[in-house]
Amino acid sequence: MDAIAQHRAAAAEDAVIAAYVHRYGPVAWAHAATAGDGAPTWHYWWHAHLVHALAEAERHRPARARRRLIAQVLHGVTLRTAGTWITPFYDDIAWMGLALAETRPRGHARARIARLLAGAVDPAVGALPWRTRSVLYNAPANGPAAMVLAPSRHRALAQQLSTWMGATLDDPDTGLVRDGIEHGVVRPDLWTYNQGVAIGAALALGDARRAAGVVHAVDRWCAADDGLFPAAGGGDGGLFAGILARYLALAAIHLDGPDAEIARRLVHRNAEALWMGRREGRFPADPRRAARPTGDDRDLSVQLGAWITLEADVAASRGLTS
C-alpha cells in the first residue's frame, strides 16, 4: 500500500506545483486559483499549508529540487510579510509556526511566532483570540497554537489551550469540537479541521485519551456517509478536510490498537475517494464526486487539501508497515 500511496501523493504534489506555484528567481509563491477573478491572489495561511505539505513530501520522498523550492517559498513569505512573518490573525500565524517547525525548527521566525502566540493568550479567558482585537476564541487558533507551544518552554500554556478547547468547545452530545465562542455564545458549527487540530494538540501533549476520543467522534460523525469527511467547498474550506487527515495520520502512528486502525481507515477512505474522483490531474472539492474544470475545484486550497490527504495516507500506511 505504501508504494501506491507514494505514487498518488507524488502525482498530487506535481499537479499543485505545476498549476499554482510560480518562481521568480530565488523567490516562489502560489496563486490562489488557476483561472478567474482573484487567481493571482496570495494567501498567507494557504502558504503555511503549502510549506507544510512540501515538508511532508520531503520526509516521504527526499529530493534536492524540493528542498530548493521550500527555500524559495519561504523567501517569498519573507518578502510578502516584509520580514515580519506576522499577520493580524493568530490562527494564520500558528499555522505558519507549524510549517516552520517542519522546515526551519531552529529559525528565528518560528521562535518569534511562539513568543507572539504565548503573549497573545487572554488571561481572562484562558485562550487565544482569533485575531487582534477580537472577542472570538476558536479552535482553529487555539489548536495550532497549542501544537506550536507544546515543544517549547510554554508547554504549560499549550496544555491550558487544549484543556480550554475540551471544556468549552466539545459538544457533549457528539464529542465533536465546535468552532468557537464569542460573547459567551458557543458557535455550533462543526468543521473537519477543528477536529484535526484537537487531535493534533492532544498528541503534541501526550494525551492519547483525548486524541482517541476525538478520533472516535469523527468516526461516528462520518459513519453514515461511509467514512467520507464532510466537504466545505472552495476558498478556505478547501483545506479543512486535509488538515483533519493530517492529524488523523499522526493518530494512526501514535495511538494503539483499534484507535490507530480507525484513524488509518478514515484517512485511507478519503484518500481513495479523492483519487477515484481525480480528472485530468485535478481533485474534487467533495470526495463524493468527480473533479470539475470549473468552480471550487480550481482553487489552490482544494488541490492542496487533496495533496495533504494523500500525504497523510502515505504517513498512515507507513505506520502500518513499519
Side-chain angles (χ1 to χ4, degrees):
M1 183 186 293
D2 186 49
I4 295 173
Q6 285 277 27
H7 166 74
R8 293 175 175 181
E13 176 186 14
D14 290 345
V16 167
I17 292 172
Y20 299 92
V21 177
H22 299 261
R23 294 175 174 86
Y24 308 90
V27 177
W29 57 68
H31 288 180
T34 54
D37 294 340
T41 303
W42 187 87
H43 286 287
Y44 177 100
W45 90 281
W46 294 12
H47 275 74
H49 286 285
L50 173 62
V51 172
H52 201 149
L54 284 166
E56 290 166 334
E58 178 61 21
R59 188 161 58 248
H60 297 153
R61 301 174 300 280
R64 182 180 300 175
R66 187 187 300 104
R67 292 191 291 274
R68 184 165 57 248
L69 178 58
I70 290 171
Q72 291 172 325
V73 174
L74 290 174
H75 192 183
V77 177
T78 301
L79 292 179
R80 285 283 187 164
T81 62
T84 68
W85 293 83
I86 301 303
T87 83
F89 298 90
Y90 293 122
D91 56 346
D92 291 7
I93 295 169
W95 293 121
M96 190 63 77
L98 291 174
L100 290 170
E102 296 290 328
T103 55
R104 301 292 187 271
R106 296 178 179 83
H108 294 300
R110 187 212 58 78
R112 182 184 185 195
I113 284 173
R115 290 193 302 270
L116 185 148
L117 293 173
V121 173
D122 186 337
V125 178
L128 185 73
W130 166 55
R131 59 161 295 162
T132 56
R133 296 182 298 277
S134 174
V135 293
L136 170 63
Y137 301 83
N138 62 4
N142 285 275
M147 285 185 266
V148 170
L149 297 174
S152 74
R153 62 187 179 89
H154 303 290
R155 186 176 180 84
L157 189 55
Q159 182 64 66
Q160 175 184 314
L161 299 183
S162 183
T163 300
W164 175 88
M165 286 174 58
T168 308
L169 301 182
D170 280 12
D171 180 355
D173 295 326
T174 65
L176 293 168
V177 181
R178 296 169 291 185
D179 189 58
I181 186 169
E182 188 173 20
H183 296 299
V185 178
V186 175
R187 291 186 173 187
D189 309 82
L190 298 174
W191 300 109
T192 45
Y193 74 151
N194 290 340
Q195 319 315 311
V197 298
I199 294 167
L203 292 171
L205 292 161
D207 189 350
R209 182 176 180 180
R210 165 69 171 163
V214 181
V215 168
H216 282 269
V218 170
D219 189 39
R220 293 190 298 269
W221 188 30
C222 300
D225 208 3
D226 195 25
L228 293 178
F229 300 148
D236 286 347
L239 284 166
F240 290 2
I243 292 168
L244 172 56
R246 171 180 285 148
Y247 295 108
L248 281 171
L250 285 181
I253 294 168
H254 294 291
L255 297 181
D256 297 321
D259 300 333
E261 182 52 36
I262 289 170
R264 185 176 294 112
R265 171 172 50 79
L266 286 166
V267 172
H268 183 65
R269 173 72 182 97
N270 283 271
E272 183 77 12
L274 287 169
W275 185 260
M276 295 305 293
R278 181 172 177 258
R279 298 291 184 274
E280 299 181 357
R282 191 190 306 268
F283 294 91
D286 188 334
R288 296 154 190 82
R289 63 166 173 81
R292 300 166 180 164
T294 60
D296 291 341
D297 296 354
R298 296 184 308 188
D299 287 357
L300 166 64
S301 59
V302 170
Q303 301 308 309
L304 180 54
W307 173 21
I308 293 169
T309 301
L310 293 169
E311 293 291 357
D313 196 33
V314 174
S317 298
R318 284 189 165 186
L320 181 64
T321 56
S322 61

